[in-house]
Amino acid sequence: MGKITGFMEYKRLQEASEAPQLRKKHYKEFSLHLADDQAKIQAARCMDCGIPFCNNGCPVNNIIPDWNDLVYNGNYKLALETLHSTNNFPEFTGRICPAPCESACTLGINDDAVGIKSIEHFIIDKGWENGWVVPQVSAVKTGKKIAVVGSGPAGLAAAQQLARVGHDVTVFEKNDRVGGLLRYGIPDFKMEKSHIDRRVEQMQAEGVTFRTSVFVGKDFPANITNWSKETISPAQLQKDFDAVIIAGGAEQPRDLPVPGRELKGVHFAMDFLPLQNKVNAGDKLKDQLMASGKHVVVIGGGDTGSDCVGTSNRHGAKSVTQFELMPQPPEQENKPLVWPYWPTKLRTSSSHEEGCERDWAVATKRLEGKGGKVEKLIACRVEWKDGKMQEVPDSEFEMKADLVLLAMGFVSPVQQVLDAFGVSMDARGNAKATTDGEGCYLTNVAKVYAAGDMRRGQSLVVWAIREGRQCAREVDVALMGESVLPR
């Protein structure tokens, strides 16, 4: 424990960030990690609880009190080793994870939780700055070959773990660059893609092979942007490799079945966000979908909707409005009722701070326009009675809408991929595989495993890393009879 009375003496400190009106002018990250003295004070707030609920609140079970103590004492290198022992990519989670660990923090019962995420951000940035993040090359090769389909956080975590115990790992990615939804689903202002690039370099040095622009399956899904140049059948992978891990994202978006959905100007969020990331990476696009000078309506109040808000503001939208179907949550959670679980409360993102009208308990009834192009949205107020959503009488209203972005979440992985493998699915359309008992993460198809959003559905980056790591261990055990990889 760094300082016994630290949690009583020091207040939580937020990371410094650029002012909203300034950061809207660019696509770079705008939050700074803590300075050394700030990190020391924030780490001192950790109470080193007898039962550290933060560990269990974190899906990868980060050993949070330990690295807080190490940061307080200035032992940053050992703090990094401790952090890496449970999390392959803390530079991802330290930027885009919503930090369920902080909701579980014991101090959070009656005070502001320890700034765990900001300390994690500090540790990994300190590691990169000092050259402590280096390839961990296996001294022995097993001769076993493993294919990983999908290069998002689950696929990358599985690939790195398996390479480090001596397996030959090839990662297949349908897009033109590695990273999956980290690359093309997360805006650069939340996480610059250089963080992915240097991890890829590390993994290549560790022996991982990356093959981009390769789609694994049969017919490419019509609703997914096809950046692939090559198609490989699942049968070929099963023939060429000793094990296959399918770790793609949950990319099947939830649609909006209302009149006018077919109008031009109505798009899924993932038709919009990836294009800006490609432009930021230096690509030249002929027909980029832009929000410039438009009245933008974002349907969906989650993180993807927030990303659409931030990107639209940077495009120079005339106005940005975000609708959410559910009622507005309370500004403060009922801590005695919900702790240590993730609470329902009003959350204002950095994108909202940059300019956005938000409205709750709103349902879209139809979209209208002229010449086949959307011009306005007709909506109504809704309320919940007896567990059912009902329209509030005489509450219909309309608003200008030149661009409507559907950000209502993702219902499942791409079904064509699972069908091509012949993998059984659960009721939600995810790959069916257990995480308990013998044969964890193994599907009904021999040698084929599933992890991350492919198995659990739309979820957090930290859950993807956890499942990738655990799946890697199960594959290693199946191939070698035992494993030194942590579960």
Side-chain angles (χ1 to χ4, degrees):
M1 186 174 187
K3 188 173 185 181
I4 294 176
T5 57
F7 68 95
M8 295 188 291
E9 296 178 28
Y10 305 123
K11 292 297 182 183
R12 179 184 171 111
L13 176 68
Q14 295 296 119
E15 294 176 325
S17 62
E18 193 175 5
Q21 293 308 312
L22 294 176
R23 67 192 189 223
K24 284 199 301 182
K25 298 177 181 179
H26 62 80
Y27 293 90
K28 299 291 186 181
E29 290 180 15
F30 49 80
S31 293
L32 304 176
H33 66 69
L34 301 172
D36 290 19
D37 58 337
Q38 294 172 330
K40 178 183 176 72
I41 289 174
Q42 292 307 296
R45 298 186 71 239
C46 179
M47 299 190 294
D48 196 12
C49 310
I51 301 176
F53 286 89
C54 57
N55 287 17
N56 291 329
C58 172
V60 294
N61 302 124
N62 276 332
I63 314 170
I64 295 163
D66 292 46
W67 43 258
N68 280 338
D69 179 69
L70 291 165
V71 168
Y72 178 80
N73 288 290
N75 195 341
Y76 304 136
K77 190 171 185 180
L78 185 54
L80 178 66
E81 292 177 12
T82 306
L83 177 55
H84 268 149
S85 71
T86 57
N87 184 354
N88 294 67
F89 313 117
E91 64 269 42
F92 303 163
T93 54
R95 286 170 167 80
I96 62 174
C97 179
C101 54
E102 294 186 11
S103 297
C105 174
T106 303
L107 182 58
I109 295 175
N110 63 348
D111 200 349
D112 292 331
V114 174
I116 299 168
K117 181 178 175 180
S118 65
I119 299 171
E120 179 181 24
H121 184 187
F122 168 82
I123 294 171
I124 184 59
D125 280 13
K126 179 70 72 171
W128 283 109
E129 289 166 6
N130 286 277
W132 296 333
V133 184
V134 296
Q136 299 177 29
V137 182
S138 176
V140 178
K141 286 291 186 180
T142 65
K144 301 294 185 180
K145 298 170 62 180
I146 301 162
V148 177
V149 180
S151 67
L156 291 177
Q160 186 167 63
Q161 292 294 92
L162 289 164
R164 287 178 173 178
V165 291
H167 300 305
D168 291 323
V169 183
T170 301
V171 178
F172 295 88
E173 169 58 51
K174 73 178 186 302
N175 294 326
D176 54 353
R177 295 181 178 91
V178 173
L181 290 176
L182 289 172
R183 174 75 66 177
Y184 288 123
I186 304 295
D188 288 3
F189 55 80
K190 288 177 68 174
M191 192 188 83
E192 293 178 19
K193 304 311 176 250
S194 58
H195 303 299
I196 303 173
D197 296 337
R198 60 188 179 186
R199 279 295 180 182
V200 170
E201 290 177 8
Q202 180 197 34
M203 293 174 65
Q204 287 174 327
E206 292 170 344
V208 177
T209 299
F210 291 94
R211 293 186 58 184
T212 55
S213 298
V214 178
F215 177 70
V216 177
K218 295 179 181 177
D219 298 325
F220 201 92
N223 64 319
I224 302 296
T225 303
N226 185 356
W227 293 331
S228 301
K229 297 179 181 178
E230 180 183 353
T231 300
I232 293 180
S233 71
Q236 189 65 46
L237 289 189
Q238 289 169 279
K239 176 184 176 183
D240 295 343
F241 293 88
D242 298 294
V244 179
I245 299 173
I246 48 174
E251 296 184 67
Q252 196 72 37
R254 182 174 283 107
D255 209 341
L256 184 68
V258 298
R261 168 64 180 89
E262 74 286 351
L263 292 171
K264 292 180 180 179
V266 183
H267 301 271
F268 288 118
M270 291 304 293
D271 294 335
F272 176 67
L273 295 173
L275 301 181
Q276 185 59 56
N277 286 6
K278 289 179 73 65
V279 170
N280 294 345
D283 292 355
K284 303 296 182 182
L285 303 183
K286 293 181 179 179
D287 299 307
Q288 183 186 356
L289 180 59
M290 297 291 291
S292 310
K294 297 178 181 177
H295 294 286
V296 179
V297 178
V298 179
I299 301 178
D303 288 341
T304 304
S306 172
D307 295 342
C308 290
V309 170
T311 302
S312 295
N313 277 325
R314 282 163 176 76
H315 283 180
K318 187 173 291 186
S319 69
V320 183
T321 305
Q322 185 177 24
F323 288 148
E324 169 56 51
L325 185 65
M326 302 301 291
Q328 180 175 343
E331 291 190 11
Q332 292 294 330
E333 72 271 33
N334 186 340
K335 288 185 178 181
L337 179 66
V338 300
W339 181 88
Y341 301 107
W342 182 254
T344 298
K345 67 175 183 179
L346 181 63
R347 303 176 193 277
T348 300
S349 73
S350 60
S351 292
H352 295 141
E353 294 171 353
E354 295 163 3
C356 173
E357 292 294 326
R358 305 168 72 188
D359 206 348
W360 288 265
V362 173
T364 302
K365 297 187 70 174
R366 64 186 181 277
L367 301 163
E368 296 181 357
K370 293 179 181 177
K373 189 178 186 309
V374 67
E375 291 185 340
K376 59 183 177 180
L377 177 147
I378 314 300
C380 67
R381 303 286 172 184
V382 293
E383 59 184 355
W384 294 82
K385 289 184 178 180
D386 301 323
K388 296 181 179 180
M389 186 183 72
Q390 300 179 3
E391 180 178 345
V392 175
D394 302 319
S395 66
E396 186 173 299
F397 65 96
E398 67 177 54
M399 65 182 307
K400 291 182 179 179
D402 304 311
L403 176 62
V404 178
L405 299 173
L406 308 181
M408 302 173 292
F410 302 87
V411 295
S412 70
V414 178
Q415 300 299 295
Q416 288 92 331
V417 174
L418 299 180
D419 289 341
F421 274 98
V423 169
S424 296
M425 290 176 266
D426 63 18
R428 296 184 300 149
N430 303 318
K432 193 173 183 179
T434 181
T435 58
D436 300 313
E438 188 176 349
C440 291
Y441 295 97
L442 181 64
T443 69
N444 61 299
V445 181
K447 302 195 304 181
V448 177
Y449 296 75
D453 288 5
M454 187 69 76
R455 191 202 68 83
R456 66 181 293 115
Q458 180 188 3
S459 192
L460 305 177
V461 60
V462 71
W463 274 107
I465 293 172
R466 171 196 174 114
E467 294 217 348
R469 288 170 61 88
Q470 291 185 344
C471 184
R473 176 182 170 84
E474 295 303 318
V475 172
D476 192 32
V477 169
L479 296 179
M480 308 303 293
E482 59 182 1
S483 180
V484 297
L485 292 174
R487 195 181 192 284

